[in-house]
Amino acid sequence: MLNYVVDPALVEPLVPPDTEIDYESGETFVSVVGFLFLDTRLLGFPIPLHRDFEEVNLRFYVRRKSADTWRRGVVFVRELVPRRVIALVARAFYGERYFALPMKHNIEHVDAKLSVEYCWRRGKKWEFLKMSAAGEPQSISAGSHAEFITEHYWGYTCVRDGCSEYRVQHPRWKIWSANSFEFSADVTSLYGEQFAETLSQP
């Protein structure tokens, strides 16, 4: 996960109805995230040849008032997956902006050294997200930036002038802090010109 401070005006047009930007210490963030779906099921049923696959997405953070509590969630700008059927199903069931491209990944974890790479091909060019880390994964501290980024358990998207809400369940993660990273992509054509400057920053 690469996290960038973004001008809230850039994501405001993408905020679904009945939600608002979720700020951390007055700042707004977008994240480029690479991960694996494993043993994926639709309505409880596995889809043959489509259970394990990569995803790389660009997301930002919102919240929605429910009764007297706030539900903290994410909005996806674009999600890359390796198979067209996955993209079609995700668009139909969740209204999400999935896009199918050839993808591959490599994860090595040997002797407390970790390297992770996610790649996707557009045309003849491979683009990628790489990170490396060392040591053991750490628990996420309460009130930390890592907690803000990871502890969002709702997904929101615009559907027919309204807002669709779904719950995302996963255990509380542990984290490594990256020693190095590299993000190589034509951001303008992948995510839009409005994100090009943001995703070229530290």
Side-chain angles (χ1 to χ4, degrees):
M1 306 177 74
L2 301 182
N3 309 302
Y4 302 83
V5 175
V6 66
D7 182 344
L10 296 182
V11 297
E12 187 65 48
L14 302 176
V15 174
D18 301 322
T19 71
E20 61 184 52
I21 293 174
D22 197 1
Y23 293 89
E24 183 199 19
S25 302
E27 293 184 316
T28 309
F29 290 87
V30 294
S31 301
V32 180
V33 184
F35 66 98
L36 294 176
F37 277 100
L38 299 174
D39 193 24
T40 306
R41 296 167 183 265
L42 180 63
L43 302 178
F45 296 96
I47 303 175
L49 305 179
H50 293 78
R51 296 177 67 174
D52 301 342
F53 55 90
E54 302 91 349
E55 180 179 312
V56 173
N57 65 58
L58 177 66
R59 72 187 202 179
F60 65 96
Y61 303 91
V62 297
R63 63 180 189 168
R64 185 183 192 185
K65 194 68 175 289
S66 176
D68 58 349
T69 62
W70 287 98
R71 291 180 173 178
R72 301 177 63 215
V74 299
V75 175
F76 296 102
V77 177
R78 170 164 276 186
E79 296 159 279
L80 306 179
V81 291
R83 297 184 180 94
R84 190 172 300 173
V85 170
I86 297 169
L88 292 173
V89 169
R91 289 178 199 152
F93 275 81
Y94 299 104
E96 293 288 9
R97 303 175 182 91
Y98 273 77
F99 192 68
L101 291 171
M103 297 183 73
K104 58 185 180 180
H105 72 278
N106 184 54
I107 300 173
E108 296 183 1
H109 188 197
V110 180
D111 297 331
K113 293 184 179 180
L114 175 71
S115 64
V116 181
E117 178 179 14
Y118 290 92
C119 306
W120 56 97
R121 192 183 75 217
R122 293 194 295 153
K124 296 182 179 180
K125 184 176 181 181
W126 283 95
E127 300 176 325
F128 58 84
L129 168 65
K130 298 180 181 179
M131 304 180 77
S132 66
E136 297 300 320
Q138 303 298 311
S139 297
I140 296 175
S141 300
S144 66
H145 175 67
E147 183 182 58
F148 173 82
I149 292 294
T150 60
E151 294 294 292
H152 284 77
Y153 290 99
W154 297 89
Y156 295 102
T157 187
C158 297
V159 178
R160 295 184 298 277
D161 299 324
C163 176
S164 173
E165 176 187 79
Y166 57 91
R167 190 164 189 171
V168 180
Q169 292 182 302
H170 63 77
R172 188 176 176 94
W173 292 331
K174 291 188 175 182
I175 59 167
W176 284 269
S177 293
N179 295 328
S180 65
F181 76 89
E182 187 175 359
F183 176 45
S184 177
D186 182 344
V187 171
T188 297
S189 61
L190 183 61
Y191 296 128
E193 183 178 1
Q194 69 271 35
F195 293 106
E197 182 176 354
T198 296
L199 298 184
S200 67
Q201 300 300 311

mmCIF file of all heavy atoms in Angstrom, residues 20-65:
data_model
loop_
_atom_site.group_PDB
_atom_site.id
_atom_site.type_symbol
_atom_site.label_atom_id
_atom_site.label_comp_id
_atom_site.label_asym_id
_atom_site.label_seq_id
_atom_site.Cartn_x
_atom_site.Cartn_y
_atom_site.Cartn_z
ATOM 1 N N GLU A 20 -19.120 11.230 3.117
ATOM 2 C CA GLU A 20 -18.238 12.393 3.092
ATOM 3 C C GLU A 20 -16.800 11.925 3.222
ATOM 4 O O GLU A 20 -16.529 10.811 3.682
ATOM 5 C CB GLU A 20 -18.584 13.358 4.222
ATOM 6 C CG GLU A 20 -18.437 12.773 5.618
ATOM 7 C CD GLU A 20 -18.876 13.745 6.710
ATOM 8 O OE1 GLU A 20 -20.000 14.273 6.630
ATOM 9 O OE2 GLU A 20 -18.069 13.955 7.658
ATOM 10 N N ILE A 21 -15.875 12.752 2.778
ATOM 11 C CA ILE A 21 -14.458 12.410 2.866
ATOM 12 C C ILE A 21 -14.072 12.177 4.317
ATOM 13 O O ILE A 21 -14.460 12.930 5.212
ATOM 14 C CB ILE A 21 -13.593 13.521 2.235
ATOM 15 C CG1 ILE A 21 -13.831 13.583 0.718
ATOM 16 C CG2 ILE A 21 -12.112 13.297 2.525
ATOM 17 C CD1 ILE A 21 -13.133 14.750 0.038
ATOM 18 N N ASP A 22 -13.302 11.126 4.553
ATOM 19 C CA ASP A 22 -12.794 10.810 5.884
ATOM 20 C C ASP A 22 -11.385 11.388 5.995
ATOM 21 O O ASP A 22 -10.463 10.945 5.305
ATOM 22 C CB ASP A 22 -12.774 9.288 6.084
ATOM 23 C CG ASP A 22 -12.647 8.906 7.549
ATOM 24 O OD1 ASP A 22 -12.583 9.810 8.407
ATOM 25 O OD2 ASP A 22 -12.605 7.691 7.837
ATOM 26 N N TYR A 23 -11.224 12.379 6.841
ATOM 27 C CA TYR A 23 -9.935 13.058 7.008
ATOM 28 C C TYR A 23 -9.152 12.441 8.162
ATOM 29 O O TYR A 23 -9.725 11.977 9.143
ATOM 30 C CB TYR A 23 -10.147 14.541 7.308
ATOM 31 C CG TYR A 23 -10.739 15.334 6.170
ATOM 32 C CD1 TYR A 23 -12.123 15.456 6.026
ATOM 33 C CD2 TYR A 23 -9.928 15.974 5.235
ATOM 34 C CE1 TYR A 23 -12.675 16.196 4.996
ATOM 35 C CE2 TYR A 23 -10.470 16.718 4.193
ATOM 36 C CZ TYR A 23 -11.842 16.824 4.078
ATOM 37 O OH TYR A 23 -12.392 17.548 3.049
ATOM 38 N N GLU A 24 -7.842 12.477 8.022
ATOM 39 C CA GLU A 24 -6.960 12.145 9.142
ATOM 40 C C GLU A 24 -6.093 13.355 9.435
ATOM 41 O O GLU A 24 -5.296 13.780 8.588
ATOM 42 C CB GLU A 24 -6.066 10.941 8.823
ATOM 43 C CG GLU A 24 -5.214 10.559 10.021
ATOM 44 C CD GLU A 24 -4.010 9.700 9.653
ATOM 45 O OE1 GLU A 24 -3.618 9.689 8.488
ATOM 46 O OE2 GLU A 24 -3.452 9.067 10.568
ATOM 47 N N SER A 25 -6.259 13.930 10.605
ATOM 48 C CA SER A 25 -5.508 15.129 11.005
ATOM 49 C C SER A 25 -5.606 16.217 9.940
ATOM 50 O O SER A 25 -4.619 16.900 9.625
ATOM 51 C CB SER A 25 -4.038 14.772 11.265
ATOM 52 O OG SER A 25 -3.926 13.785 12.272
ATOM 53 N N GLY A 26 -6.796 16.345 9.355
ATOM 54 C CA GLY A 26 -7.038 17.392 8.376
ATOM 55 C C GLY A 26 -6.559 17.078 6.976
ATOM 56 O O GLY A 26 -6.695 17.923 6.078
ATOM 57 N N GLU A 27 -6.006 15.882 6.754
ATOM 58 C CA GLU A 27 -5.489 15.526 5.436
ATOM 59 C C GLU A 27 -6.327 14.417 4.788
ATOM 60 O O GLU A 27 -6.910 13.584 5.487
ATOM 61 C CB GLU A 27 -4.033 15.075 5.527
ATOM 62 C CG GLU A 27 -3.079 16.182 5.917
ATOM 63 C CD GLU A 27 -1.622 15.735 5.912
ATOM 64 O OE1 GLU A 27 -1.352 14.634 6.429
ATOM 65 O OE2 GLU A 27 -0.770 16.490 5.399
ATOM 66 N N THR A 28 -6.356 14.423 3.466
ATOM 67 C CA THR A 28 -7.053 13.419 2.680
ATOM 68 C C THR A 28 -6.017 12.543 1.996
ATOM 69 O O THR A 28 -4.985 13.040 1.525
ATOM 70 C CB THR A 28 -7.924 14.093 1.606
ATOM 71 O OG1 THR A 28 -8.728 15.079 2.227
ATOM 72 C CG2 THR A 28 -8.800 13.088 0.888
ATOM 73 N N PHE A 29 -6.305 11.241 1.901
ATOM 74 C CA PHE A 29 -5.340 10.307 1.325
ATOM 75 C C PHE A 29 -5.959 9.492 0.191
ATOM 76 O O PHE A 29 -7.149 9.183 0.211
ATOM 77 C CB PHE A 29 -4.815 9.337 2.399
ATOM 78 C CG PHE A 29 -3.926 9.991 3.404
ATOM 79 C CD1 PHE A 29 -4.465 10.588 4.538
ATOM 80 C CD2 PHE A 29 -2.547 10.034 3.221
ATOM 81 C CE1 PHE A 29 -3.653 11.213 5.470
ATOM 82 C CE2 PHE A 29 -1.731 10.664 4.150
ATOM 83 C CZ PHE A 29 -2.283 11.252 5.270
ATOM 84 N N VAL A 30 -5.105 9.158 -0.781
ATOM 85 C CA VAL A 30 -5.403 8.089 -1.737
ATOM 86 C C VAL A 30 -4.329 7.025 -1.557
ATOM 87 O O VAL A 30 -3.206 7.313 -1.140
ATOM 88 C CB VAL A 30 -5.424 8.579 -3.203
ATOM 89 C CG1 VAL A 30 -6.575 9.534 -3.441
ATOM 90 C CG2 VAL A 30 -4.095 9.218 -3.599
ATOM 91 N N SER A 31 -4.684 5.785 -1.874
ATOM 92 C CA SER A 31 -3.752 4.665 -1.718
ATOM 93 C C SER A 31 -3.750 3.812 -2.978
ATOM 94 O O SER A 31 -4.807 3.513 -3.533
ATOM 95 C CB SER A 31 -4.135 3.785 -0.520
ATOM 96 O OG SER A 31 -4.154 4.525 0.683
ATOM 97 N N VAL A 32 -2.552 3.410 -3.404
ATOM 98 C CA VAL A 32 -2.398 2.377 -4.425
ATOM 99 C C VAL A 32 -2.143 1.076 -3.676
ATOM 100 O O VAL A 32 -1.194 0.981 -2.894
ATOM 101 C CB VAL A 32 -1.231 2.687 -5.384
ATOM 102 C CG1 VAL A 32 -1.112 1.584 -6.440
ATOM 103 C CG2 VAL A 32 -1.415 4.042 -6.040
ATOM 104 N N VAL A 33 -3.002 0.077 -3.908
ATOM 105 C CA VAL A 33 -2.980 -1.148 -3.105
ATOM 106 C C VAL A 33 -2.861 -2.359 -4.019
ATOM 107 O O VAL A 33 -3.594 -2.491 -4.995
ATOM 108 C CB VAL A 33 -4.270 -1.276 -2.264
ATOM 109 C CG1 VAL A 33 -4.204 -2.506 -1.356
ATOM 110 C CG2 VAL A 33 -4.504 -0.012 -1.446
ATOM 111 N N GLY A 34 -1.931 -3.248 -3.707
ATOM 112 C CA GLY A 34 -1.806 -4.521 -4.407
ATOM 113 C C GLY A 34 -2.044 -5.664 -3.433
ATOM 114 O O GLY A 34 -1.514 -5.645 -2.319
ATOM 115 N N PHE A 35 -2.859 -6.644 -3.812
ATOM 116 C CA PHE A 35 -3.113 -7.779 -2.927
ATOM 117 C C PHE A 35 -3.647 -8.961 -3.720
ATOM 118 O O PHE A 35 -3.898 -8.862 -4.922
ATOM 119 C CB PHE A 35 -4.070 -7.399 -1.797
ATOM 120 C CG PHE A 35 -5.466 -7.061 -2.242
ATOM 121 C CD1 PHE A 35 -6.478 -8.001 -2.184
ATOM 122 C CD2 PHE A 35 -5.773 -5.798 -2.704
ATOM 123 C CE1 PHE A 35 -7.764 -7.692 -2.581
ATOM 124 C CE2 PHE A 35 -7.060 -5.474 -3.101
ATOM 125 C CZ PHE A 35 -8.058 -6.428 -3.045
ATOM 126 N N LEU A 36 -3.844 -10.070 -3.025
ATOM 127 C CA LEU A 36 -4.360 -11.295 -3.629
ATOM 128 C C LEU A 36 -5.724 -11.640 -3.056
ATOM 129 O O LEU A 36 -5.928 -11.574 -1.843
ATOM 130 C CB LEU A 36 -3.412 -12.473 -3.365
ATOM 131 C CG LEU A 36 -2.034 -12.433 -4.005
ATOM 132 C CD1 LEU A 36 -1.213 -13.639 -3.544
ATOM 133 C CD2 LEU A 36 -2.144 -12.414 -5.521
ATOM 134 N N PHE A 37 -6.646 -12.000 -3.922
ATOM 135 C CA PHE A 37 -7.857 -12.697 -3.509
ATOM 136 C C PHE A 37 -7.532 -14.190 -3.472
ATOM 137 O O PHE A 37 -6.968 -14.724 -4.432
ATOM 138 C CB PHE A 37 -8.989 -12.481 -4.523
ATOM 139 C CG PHE A 37 -9.745 -11.204 -4.347
ATOM 140 C CD1 PHE A 37 -9.484 -10.102 -5.135
ATOM 141 C CD2 PHE A 37 -10.752 -11.114 -3.395
ATOM 142 C CE1 PHE A 37 -10.206 -8.926 -4.986
ATOM 143 C CE2 PHE A 37 -11.483 -9.948 -3.234
ATOM 144 C CZ PHE A 37 -11.208 -8.845 -4.036
ATOM 145 N N LEU A 38 -7.890 -14.853 -2.388
ATOM 146 C CA LEU A 38 -7.649 -16.294 -2.262
ATOM 147 C C LEU A 38 -8.946 -16.993 -1.870
ATOM 148 O O LEU A 38 -9.664 -16.519 -0.986
ATOM 149 C CB LEU A 38 -6.559 -16.572 -1.220
ATOM 150 C CG LEU A 38 -5.186 -15.962 -1.515
ATOM 151 C CD1 LEU A 38 -4.236 -16.192 -0.339
ATOM 152 C CD2 LEU A 38 -4.592 -16.558 -2.790
ATOM 153 N N ASP A 39 -9.240 -18.112 -2.525
ATOM 154 C CA ASP A 39 -10.459 -18.888 -2.264
ATOM 155 C C ASP A 39 -11.700 -18.006 -2.356
ATOM 156 O O ASP A 39 -12.575 -18.019 -1.492
ATOM 157 C CB ASP A 39 -10.380 -19.567 -0.891
ATOM 158 C CG ASP A 39 -11.471 -20.627 -0.715
ATOM 159 O OD1 ASP A 39 -11.958 -21.146 -1.736
ATOM 160 O OD2 ASP A 39 -11.847 -20.906 0.437
ATOM 161 N N THR A 40 -11.787 -17.241 -3.418
ATOM 162 C CA THR A 40 -12.880 -16.291 -3.606
ATOM 163 C C THR A 40 -14.175 -17.016 -3.937
ATOM 164 O O THR A 40 -14.188 -17.989 -4.690
ATOM 165 C CB THR A 40 -12.520 -15.325 -4.745
ATOM 166 O OG1 THR A 40 -11.255 -14.728 -4.446
ATOM 167 C CG2 THR A 40 -13.568 -14.240 -4.888
ATOM 168 N N ARG A 41 -15.277 -16.507 -3.369
ATOM 169 C CA ARG A 41 -16.593 -17.109 -3.595
ATOM 170 C C ARG A 41 -17.606 -16.019 -3.882
ATOM 171 O O ARG A 41 -17.492 -14.900 -3.368
ATOM 172 C CB ARG A 41 -17.031 -17.929 -2.372
ATOM 173 C CG ARG A 41 -16.120 -19.124 -2.105
ATOM 174 C CD ARG A 41 -16.357 -19.739 -0.741
ATOM 175 N NE ARG A 41 -15.413 -20.838 -0.521
ATOM 176 C CZ ARG A 41 -15.671 -22.116 -0.760
ATOM 177 N NH1 ARG A 41 -16.865 -22.468 -1.226
ATOM 178 N NH2 ARG A 41 -14.771 -23.041 -0.544
ATOM 179 N N LEU A 42 -18.607 -16.360 -4.672
ATOM 180 C CA LEU A 42 -19.707 -15.469 -4.969
ATOM 181 C C LEU A 42 -20.974 -16.082 -4.398
ATOM 182 O O LEU A 42 -21.355 -17.194 -4.765
ATOM 183 C CB LEU A 42 -19.837 -15.273 -6.487
ATOM 184 C CG LEU A 42 -20.966 -14.350 -6.953
ATOM 185 C CD1 LEU A 42 -20.744 -12.937 -6.449
ATOM 186 C CD2 LEU A 42 -21.069 -14.363 -8.471
ATOM 187 N N LEU A 43 -21.588 -15.366 -3.461
ATOM 188 C CA LEU A 43 -22.766 -15.881 -2.761
ATOM 189 C C LEU A 43 -22.491 -17.252 -2.142
ATOM 190 O O LEU A 43 -23.348 -18.128 -2.091
ATOM 191 C CB LEU A 43 -23.966 -15.966 -3.717
ATOM 192 C CG LEU A 43 -24.379 -14.644 -4.385
ATOM 193 C CD1 LEU A 43 -25.526 -14.869 -5.344
ATOM 194 C CD2 LEU A 43 -24.737 -13.606 -3.343
ATOM 195 N N GLY A 44 -21.261 -17.455 -1.690
ATOM 196 C CA GLY A 44 -20.876 -18.684 -1.016
ATOM 197 C C GLY A 44 -20.362 -19.776 -1.925
ATOM 198 O O GLY A 44 -19.898 -20.818 -1.446
ATOM 199 N N PHE A 45 -20.417 -19.558 -3.242
ATOM 200 C CA PHE A 45 -20.012 -20.604 -4.177
ATOM 201 C C PHE A 45 -18.712 -20.223 -4.883
ATOM 202 O O PHE A 45 -18.571 -19.094 -5.357
ATOM 203 C CB PHE A 45 -21.104 -20.836 -5.230
ATOM 204 C CG PHE A 45 -22.391 -21.355 -4.655
ATOM 205 C CD1 PHE A 45 -23.433 -20.483 -4.351
ATOM 206 C CD2 PHE A 45 -22.561 -22.711 -4.396
ATOM 207 C CE1 PHE A 45 -24.625 -20.951 -3.812
ATOM 208 C CE2 PHE A 45 -23.745 -23.188 -3.854
ATOM 209 C CZ PHE A 45 -24.779 -22.305 -3.553
ATOM 210 N N PRO A 46 -17.759 -21.156 -4.968
ATOM 211 C CA PRO A 46 -16.530 -20.875 -5.716
ATOM 212 C C PRO A 46 -16.801 -20.854 -7.214
ATOM 213 O O PRO A 46 -17.682 -21.555 -7.716
ATOM 214 C CB PRO A 46 -15.624 -22.048 -5.338
ATOM 215 C CG PRO A 46 -16.560 -23.157 -5.002
ATOM 216 C CD PRO A 46 -17.773 -22.499 -4.382
ATOM 217 N N ILE A 47 -16.034 -20.025 -7.918
ATOM 218 C CA ILE A 47 -16.128 -19.966 -9.376
ATOM 219 C C ILE A 47 -14.897 -20.656 -9.945
ATOM 220 O O ILE A 47 -13.778 -20.189 -9.722
ATOM 221 C CB ILE A 47 -16.199 -18.512 -9.869
ATOM 222 C CG1 ILE A 47 -17.380 -17.781 -9.216
ATOM 223 C CG2 ILE A 47 -16.323 -18.469 -11.393
ATOM 224 C CD1 ILE A 47 -17.445 -16.315 -9.553
ATOM 225 N N PRO A 48 -15.035 -21.779 -10.646
ATOM 226 C CA PRO A 48 -13.870 -22.511 -11.150
ATOM 227 C C PRO A 48 -12.932 -21.614 -11.953
ATOM 228 O O PRO A 48 -13.369 -20.794 -12.756
ATOM 229 C CB PRO A 48 -14.499 -23.598 -12.044
ATOM 230 C CG PRO A 48 -15.863 -23.798 -11.473
ATOM 231 C CD PRO A 48 -16.307 -22.432 -10.996
ATOM 232 N N LEU A 49 -11.626 -21.762 -11.683
ATOM 233 C CA LEU A 49 -10.555 -21.026 -12.355
ATOM 234 C C LEU A 49 -10.536 -19.540 -12.019
ATOM 235 O O LEU A 49 -9.766 -18.789 -12.602
ATOM 236 C CB LEU A 49 -10.641 -21.204 -13.875
ATOM 237 C CG LEU A 49 -10.651 -22.653 -14.390
ATOM 238 C CD1 LEU A 49 -10.772 -22.668 -15.897
ATOM 239 C CD2 LEU A 49 -9.418 -23.408 -13.932
ATOM 240 N N HIS A 50 -11.373 -19.116 -11.087
ATOM 241 C CA HIS A 50 -11.438 -17.704 -10.739
ATOM 242 C C HIS A 50 -11.419 -17.505 -9.219
ATOM 243 O O HIS A 50 -12.006 -16.558 -8.694
ATOM 244 C CB HIS A 50 -12.701 -17.064 -11.326
ATOM 245 C CG HIS A 50 -12.704 -16.996 -12.813
ATOM 246 N ND1 HIS A 50 -12.985 -18.083 -13.602
ATOM 247 C CD2 HIS A 50 -12.430 -15.974 -13.661
ATOM 248 C CE1 HIS A 50 -12.908 -17.729 -14.881
ATOM 249 N NE2 HIS A 50 -12.574 -16.456 -14.940
ATOM 250 N N ARG A 51 -10.748 -18.397 -8.512
ATOM 251 C CA ARG A 51 -10.748 -18.317 -7.046
ATOM 252 C C ARG A 51 -9.574 -17.519 -6.503
ATOM 253 O O ARG A 51 -9.692 -16.838 -5.488
ATOM 254 C CB ARG A 51 -10.762 -19.726 -6.449
ATOM 255 C CG ARG A 51 -12.041 -20.491 -6.787
ATOM 256 C CD ARG A 51 -12.025 -21.910 -6.265
ATOM 257 N NE ARG A 51 -12.051 -21.945 -4.812
ATOM 258 C CZ ARG A 51 -12.165 -23.064 -4.103
ATOM 259 N NH1 ARG A 51 -12.252 -24.232 -4.723
ATOM 260 N NH2 ARG A 51 -12.192 -23.031 -2.794
ATOM 261 N N ASP A 52 -8.418 -17.630 -7.139
ATOM 262 C CA ASP A 52 -7.211 -16.944 -6.676
ATOM 263 C C ASP A 52 -6.728 -16.000 -7.778
ATOM 264 O O ASP A 52 -6.474 -16.434 -8.904
ATOM 265 C CB ASP A 52 -6.101 -17.953 -6.354
ATOM 266 C CG ASP A 52 -6.517 -18.947 -5.272
ATOM 267 O OD1 ASP A 52 -7.489 -18.671 -4.543
ATOM 268 O OD2 ASP A 52 -5.856 -19.993 -5.167
ATOM 269 N N PHE A 53 -6.589 -14.716 -7.447
ATOM 270 C CA PHE A 53 -6.164 -13.761 -8.474
ATOM 271 C C PHE A 53 -5.670 -12.472 -7.830
ATOM 272 O O PHE A 53 -5.951 -12.177 -6.672
ATOM 273 C CB PHE A 53 -7.306 -13.466 -9.455
ATOM 274 C CG PHE A 53 -8.575 -12.986 -8.808
ATOM 275 C CD1 PHE A 53 -8.808 -11.633 -8.599
ATOM 276 C CD2 PHE A 53 -9.558 -13.894 -8.421
ATOM 277 C CE1 PHE A 53 -9.979 -11.185 -8.014
ATOM 278 C CE2 PHE A 53 -10.741 -13.459 -7.837
ATOM 279 C CZ PHE A 53 -10.946 -12.107 -7.626
ATOM 280 N N GLU A 54 -4.924 -11.705 -8.624
ATOM 281 C CA GLU A 54 -4.375 -10.429 -8.167
ATOM 282 C C GLU A 54 -5.421 -9.314 -8.299
ATOM 283 O O GLU A 54 -6.342 -9.399 -9.088
ATOM 284 C CB GLU A 54 -3.161 -10.018 -9.009
ATOM 285 C CG GLU A 54 -2.014 -11.009 -9.025
ATOM 286 C CD GLU A 54 -2.118 -12.020 -10.162
ATOM 287 O OE1 GLU A 54 -3.192 -12.086 -10.818
ATOM 288 O OE2 GLU A 54 -1.135 -12.737 -10.397
ATOM 289 N N GLU A 55 -5.210 -8.269 -7.513
ATOM 290 C CA GLU A 55 -5.913 -7.003 -7.731
ATOM 291 C C GLU A 55 -4.983 -5.863 -7.364
ATOM 292 O O GLU A 55 -4.251 -5.940 -6.371
ATOM 293 C CB GLU A 55 -7.202 -6.891 -6.914
ATOM 294 C CG GLU A 55 -7.910 -5.556 -7.165
ATOM 295 C CD GLU A 55 -9.206 -5.388 -6.398
ATOM 296 O OE1 GLU A 55 -10.036 -6.304 -6.411
ATOM 297 O OE2 GLU A 55 -9.379 -4.301 -5.798
ATOM 298 N N VAL A 56 -5.011 -4.816 -8.158
ATOM 299 C CA VAL A 56 -4.345 -3.553 -7.827
ATOM 300 C C VAL A 56 -5.397 -2.462 -7.961
ATOM 301 O O VAL A 56 -6.112 -2.401 -8.971
ATOM 302 C CB VAL A 56 -3.156 -3.271 -8.759
ATOM 303 C CG1 VAL A 56 -2.596 -1.864 -8.507
ATOM 304 C CG2 VAL A 56 -2.054 -4.313 -8.564
ATOM 305 N N ASN A 57 -5.520 -1.635 -6.930
ATOM 306 C CA ASN A 57 -6.538 -0.591 -7.000
ATOM 307 C C ASN A 57 -6.019 0.749 -6.500
ATOM 308 O O ASN A 57 -5.016 0.830 -5.787
ATOM 309 C CB ASN A 57 -7.801 -1.009 -6.235
ATOM 310 C CG ASN A 57 -7.587 -1.161 -4.751
ATOM 311 O OD1 ASN A 57 -7.173 -0.222 -4.079
ATOM 312 N ND2 ASN A 57 -7.874 -2.348 -4.205
ATOM 313 N N LEU A 58 -6.723 1.791 -6.904
ATOM 314 C CA LEU A 58 -6.532 3.129 -6.353
ATOM 315 C C LEU A 58 -7.801 3.464 -5.581
ATOM 316 O O LEU A 58 -8.912 3.350 -6.115
ATOM 317 C CB LEU A 58 -6.304 4.154 -7.466
ATOM 318 C CG LEU A 58 -6.166 5.613 -7.001
ATOM 319 C CD1 LEU A 58 -4.906 5.794 -6.165
ATOM 320 C CD2 LEU A 58 -6.164 6.564 -8.200
ATOM 321 N N ARG A 59 -7.651 3.873 -4.321
ATOM 322 C CA ARG A 59 -8.811 4.115 -3.478
ATOM 323 C C ARG A 59 -8.602 5.359 -2.623
ATOM 324 O O ARG A 59 -7.481 5.818 -2.415
ATOM 325 C CB ARG A 59 -9.075 2.905 -2.573
ATOM 326 C CG ARG A 59 -8.066 2.733 -1.441
ATOM 327 C CD ARG A 59 -8.303 1.428 -0.701
ATOM 328 N NE ARG A 59 -7.751 1.453 0.646
ATOM 329 C CZ ARG A 59 -7.838 0.442 1.519
ATOM 330 N NH1 ARG A 59 -8.453 -0.678 1.162
ATOM 331 N NH2 ARG A 59 -7.335 0.534 2.730
ATOM 332 N N PHE A 60 -9.725 5.893 -2.123
ATOM 333 C CA PHE A 60 -9.656 6.948 -1.121
ATOM 334 C C PHE A 60 -10.681 6.647 -0.036
ATOM 335 O O PHE A 60 -11.410 5.654 -0.103
ATOM 336 C CB PHE A 60 -9.842 8.338 -1.741
ATOM 337 C CG PHE A 60 -11.200 8.597 -2.337
ATOM 338 C CD1 PHE A 60 -12.194 9.247 -1.607
ATOM 339 C CD2 PHE A 60 -11.491 8.226 -3.645
ATOM 340 C CE1 PHE A 60 -13.442 9.498 -2.153
ATOM 341 C CE2 PHE A 60 -12.737 8.485 -4.209
ATOM 342 C CZ PHE A 60 -13.718 9.117 -3.461
ATOM 343 N N TYR A 61 -10.763 7.505 0.984
ATOM 344 C CA TYR A 61 -11.426 7.143 2.238
ATOM 345 C C TYR A 61 -12.610 8.066 2.536
ATOM 346 O O TYR A 61 -12.497 9.296 2.445
ATOM 347 C CB TYR A 61 -10.396 7.174 3.377
ATOM 348 C CG TYR A 61 -9.243 6.249 3.053
ATOM 349 C CD1 TYR A 61 -8.118 6.721 2.380
ATOM 350 C CD2 TYR A 61 -9.326 4.892 3.342
ATOM 351 C CE1 TYR A 61 -7.091 5.855 2.025
ATOM 352 C CE2 TYR A 61 -8.302 4.027 2.987
ATOM 353 C CZ TYR A 61 -7.190 4.512 2.330
ATOM 354 O OH TYR A 61 -6.188 3.647 1.962
ATOM 355 N N VAL A 62 -13.726 7.433 2.889
ATOM 356 C CA VAL A 62 -14.946 8.185 3.204
ATOM 357 C C VAL A 62 -15.563 7.628 4.485
ATOM 358 O O VAL A 62 -15.132 6.602 5.009
ATOM 359 C CB VAL A 62 -15.977 8.096 2.057
ATOM 360 C CG1 VAL A 62 -15.427 8.725 0.775
ATOM 361 C CG2 VAL A 62 -16.423 6.657 1.813
ATOM 362 N N ARG A 63 -16.593 8.285 4.949
ATOM 363 C CA ARG A 63 -17.369 7.778 6.074
ATOM 364 C C ARG A 63 -18.842 8.105 5.833
ATOM 365 O O ARG A 63 -19.183 9.030 5.083
ATOM 366 C CB ARG A 63 -16.890 8.369 7.396
ATOM 367 C CG ARG A 63 -17.037 9.869 7.512
ATOM 368 C CD ARG A 63 -16.532 10.371 8.844
ATOM 369 N NE ARG A 63 -16.865 11.776 9.068
ATOM 370 C CZ ARG A 63 -16.755 12.409 10.232
ATOM 371 N NH1 ARG A 63 -16.299 11.751 11.300
ATOM 372 N NH2 ARG A 63 -17.090 13.680 10.340
ATOM 373 N N ARG A 64 -19.719 7.313 6.513
ATOM 374 C CA ARG A 64 -21.153 7.485 6.359
ATOM 375 C C ARG A 64 -21.822 7.346 7.718
ATOM 376 O O ARG A 64 -21.521 6.418 8.471
ATOM 377 C CB ARG A 64 -21.714 6.433 5.390
ATOM 378 C CG ARG A 64 -23.197 6.594 5.075
ATOM 379 C CD ARG A 64 -23.667 5.476 4.163
ATOM 380 N NE ARG A 64 -24.998 5.756 3.606
ATOM 381 C CZ ARG A 64 -25.683 4.906 2.864
ATOM 382 N NH1 ARG A 64 -25.178 3.710 2.570
ATOM 383 N NH2 ARG A 64 -26.866 5.234 2.395
ATOM 384 N N LYS A 65 -22.725 8.255 8.025
ATOM 385 C CA LYS A 65 -23.406 8.229 9.318
ATOM 386 C C LYS A 65 -24.477 7.143 9.301
ATOM 387 O O LYS A 65 -25.288 7.048 8.382
ATOM 388 C CB LYS A 65 -24.047 9.582 9.609
ATOM 389 C CG LYS A 65 -24.479 9.772 11.062
ATOM 390 C CD LYS A 65 -23.271 9.847 11.984
ATOM 391 C CE LYS A 65 -23.633 10.153 13.425
ATOM 392 N NZ LYS A 65 -24.093 11.538 13.598
#
